[in-house]
Amino acid sequence: QVQLVESGGGLVQPGGSLRLSCTAPGSIFSINAMGWYRQAPGKERELVATISRGGSTNYADSVKGRFTISRDNAKNTVYLQMNSLKPEDTAVYYCNADLRKWSQTTFYNYWGQGTQVTVSS
């Protein structure tokens, strides 16, 4: 079972920055869209940003101008650079990807285990 592996979460002060990374390990044939979602306590999971294989991006209005999503196709990795962080950005951040393993004949959707981001003074 493919499990996306996330890293980079932590505690940061308001106005600070963090960079999240997410890698799809193992024998990956191809990855289409990749993205980041987040879920705050008591709230539903929401889209943060997505990026196509070709690099087209989409952002939630709440993070536009502060967050940047990027990917390295050679490393099967997606990044989320988060700047000017606010307390309301506090959430568990989840990586998501549509990918196909060499042993598969179609693409499936996968999630990471989540990484905690806490913005507090």
Side-chain angles (χ1 to χ4, degrees):
Q1 179 71 19
V2 174
Q3 181 74 27
L4 304 178
V5 180
E6 301 153 346
S7 61
L11 172 64
V12 64
Q13 292 186 342
S17 297
L18 282 175
R19 188 192 195 208
L20 305 182
S21 300
C22 170
T23 298
S27 300
I28 305 300
F29 175 77
S30 182
I31 303 177
N32 285 341
M34 304 184 81
W36 290 95
Y37 293 72
R38 67 186 182 187
Q39 187 167 19
K43 295 187 177 181
E44 294 188 354
R45 190 174 297 187
E46 63 176 4
L47 171 76
V48 176
T50 61
I51 185 167
S52 70
R53 181 170 180 81
S56 297
T57 58
N58 179 54
Y59 295 93
D61 288 342
S62 59
V63 306
K64 283 181 180 177
R66 299 188 298 121
F67 291 10
T68 302
I69 189 170
S70 61
R71 64 190 286 173
D72 185 332
N73 291 331
K75 296 181 178 179
N76 295 330
T77 298
V78 63
Y79 306 98
L80 185 68
Q81 178 66 44
M82 304 185 293
N83 298 329
S84 301
L85 282 161
K86 304 175 181 180
E88 50 263 43
D89 294 318
T90 296
V92 178
Y93 283 70
Y94 296 91
C95 176
N96 180 269
D98 288 326
L99 64 85
R100 175 187 163 188
K101 296 171 63 178
W102 281 100
S103 59
Q104 297 170 331
T105 58
T106 190
F107 287 80
Y108 293 91
N109 188 259
Y110 295 90
W111 291 92
Q113 78 285 357
T115 185
Q116 177 70 46
V117 172
T118 302
V119 184
S120 175
S121 55

